[in-house]
Amino acid sequence: MQASPRWSSGVTFYLVTVGAAVGLGSIWRFPYLAGANGGSAFVLVFAIACLVIATPLLVAEFLIGRRAGCSPPEAAGKVAASVGGSRNWNVIGVLGSIAAFLIISYYTVIAGWVAAYAAKAAGAVLVGRSRDEVATLWKGFLSNPWEVGAWHAAFLALVGGIAALGVNRGIEIANRIRAPGLLGLMLILVAYALTTGDVARGLSFAFKPNFSAITPAVVLAAIGQAFYATGVGMAMMLAYGAYLTRGTSLIRSSLIVSGSILVVSLLSTLIVFPLVFRYEMNPAQGVDLVFDVLASVFAEMPAGRLVGTLFYVMLIFAALTPSLAGIEPLVAWLEQRRNLSRRVAVLVAVLAIWVVGLSSVLSFNVAAGWRPLGWLPGFANMSFFDAADYLASNLLLPIGALITSVFVGWRLDRAIVLAELSESKPLAIACVIWCLRYFCPIALIVVLIANAK
């Protein structure tokens, strides 16, 4: 079994964990969910969910990963066995690794869409087109399996090439470049949106208190987005925690991750909603918000070619480091359990993700009518893409997070928990433990019951 690599510093750990979490979920998914769920009401519940649900669960995953120092599928079982417990707790890492694999298989397809539209924007393909023409362009793109598949393969090749360089020479360097690049692009676009967009309507929609809009559906959507955006339950933080040495506060690290996600999500609303309202578009357009609605905005606005290119390049930056984190659980397992070299492990992981991802590529064209789980209640109308998203996001992630919460909050020796969190203040430790023991399990059970309906 190969020894785990180590992050070069605590600051590097902050960068890579923020890079793992802050991605398309914060910039692409957050605005359309906020638009469809009451704007400010969704933003408020999302912020609370990040603080009291996602942050303690991130702490728990970092704790397990650092304590075990091995690949995610074997991490929790190793920690439990060290104090006489059962290795069956490995179910935490197994479920997380499966969820990560499924999510990355279609996440990289979406990243391919982003890369394709960056090329279209840069090539002035969008300029001067009517809204109907932009919509037709989007539908035509999705219906072409060769074009969508080529961009998916290209993005995966980029991810694989960086991952093959290793934890220090690949993942660390990519995050050091990505962090300032993403922030710089976002600030440029925020400044443009605030100076040219309908700021009053955009900010009112996103931030004006509207407590009457907080419904059970909005709460569930916001909690689900908190899971999706932070990567809780995807085994990414188990993998990254295994590369961390003692001396770095796990609670501070988790707060930095959650805080960064909230900041980037809010910045994305400042980019999207003023422009959407300026051009009288619908903010509740779902997935089409980025590839149809905003593409139409870029087609109409002055300097739309430049602004659109910057926007889609920003999304490429956003998609890259979460994809690197998403394949890491499988890569780490192949390295440590199968004793493969880093490069071979990455090649196997990328090829497996590419093969499964092809089903998502085809879900929008030649296999649009295929219902792989149609024999199960509730899956009759779901394509492979929809089924993979539902299974991973609505079932595997919350189930894995619930088991993680029970394991660290109730079953793991308290001395181990206190030792692993000793870099933090007693009050912060007490709050995290309380949330893991009581608040998180209740919230997760409610989410699972609601998703089962």
Side-chain angles (χ1 to χ4, degrees), residues 75-395:
K78 181 178 178 180
V79 174
S82 69
V83 290
S86 171
R87 288 192 177 271
N88 289 333
W89 288 105
N90 277 335
V91 67
I92 291 171
V94 171
L95 288 176
S97 297
I98 294 172
F101 182 84
L102 283 176
I103 289 173
I104 291 302
S105 74
Y106 66 78
Y107 186 93
T108 50
V109 173
I110 298 169
W113 299 349
V114 169
Y117 264 66
K120 292 180 189 299
V125 174
L126 301 176
V127 175
R129 289 181 181 266
S130 67
R131 296 183 182 183
D132 288 341
E133 289 173 333
V134 171
T136 300
L137 180 70
W138 169 234
K139 292 175 183 176
F141 170 72
L142 283 185
S143 68
N144 187 335
W146 295 104
E147 187 178 6
V148 177
W151 283 107
H152 174 228
F155 184 80
L156 264 177
L158 174 62
V159 171
I162 295 172
L165 294 174
V167 169
N168 303 117
R169 294 189 302 119
I171 296 175
E172 282 192 11
I173 292 175
N175 277 278
R176 289 173 185 167
I177 295 171
R178 183 259 201 182
L182 178 63
L183 181 60
L185 287 170
M186 290 200 79
L187 292 178
I188 291 171
L189 290 169
V190 166
Y192 182 87
L194 293 181
T195 53
T196 64
D198 189 335
V199 178
R201 289 176 65 192
L203 296 186
S204 175
F205 179 78
F207 301 116
K208 183 179 179 179
N210 184 15
F211 298 111
S212 63
I214 300 178
T215 64
V218 168
V219 172
L220 288 171
I223 293 174
Q225 174 61 10
F227 285 133
Y228 193 96
T230 56
V232 166
M234 286 179 63
M236 299 187 308
M237 301 312 182
L238 292 175
Y240 278 10
Y243 307 150
L244 179 65
T245 55
R246 295 299 300 270
T248 300
S249 169
L250 302 185
I251 295 178
R252 183 186 303 117
S253 301
S254 302
L255 286 170
I256 289 173
V257 171
S258 295
S260 298
I261 287 167
L262 184 58
V263 168
V264 170
S265 297
L266 294 179
L267 286 176
S268 71
T269 65
L270 295 179
I271 295 170
V272 172
F273 292 134
L275 294 178
V276 167
F277 284 112
R278 165 68 177 80
Y279 289 89
E280 300 296 331
M281 307 296 276
N282 182 2
Q285 283 292 101
V287 175
D288 291 344
L289 179 63
V290 167
F291 301 102
D292 185 350
V293 176
L294 280 177
S296 296
V297 170
F298 299 142
E300 295 181 21
M301 68 166 50
R305 180 178 182 180
L306 174 61
V307 176
T309 301
L310 290 176
F311 179 80
Y312 290 115
V313 169
M314 175 189 71
L315 291 183
I316 294 174
F317 271 82
L320 182 59
T321 49
S323 298
L324 289 169
I327 72 170
E328 194 61 25
L330 178 55
V331 170
W333 182 80
L334 289 170
E335 280 189 285
Q336 296 174 23
R337 188 67 174 178
R338 299 301 177 186
N339 203 32
L340 298 181
S341 68
R342 175 80 185 185
R343 291 184 178 181
V344 174
V346 169
L347 179 61
V348 172
V350 167
L351 286 176
I353 291 167
W354 175 70
V355 170
V356 176
L358 286 177
S359 295
S360 288
V361 170
L362 300 177
S363 293
F364 298 92
N365 36 74
V366 297
W370 180 40
R371 301 292 181 261
L373 298 178
W375 49 276
L376 289 175
F379 287 84
N381 297 317
M382 291 189 186
S383 66
F384 179 90
F385 180 95
D386 296 328
D389 182 36
Y390 184 88
L391 282 173
S393 302
N394 292 22
L395 296 177

Side-chain angles (χ1 to χ4, degrees), residues 64 76-77 79-80 86 89 92 402-413:
I64 294 169
V79 174
S86 171
W89 288 105
I92 291 171
L402 175 60
I403 299 172
T404 300
S405 186
V406 171
F407 177 61
V408 176
W410 291 98
R411 302 301 298 171
L412 191 58
D413 191 300

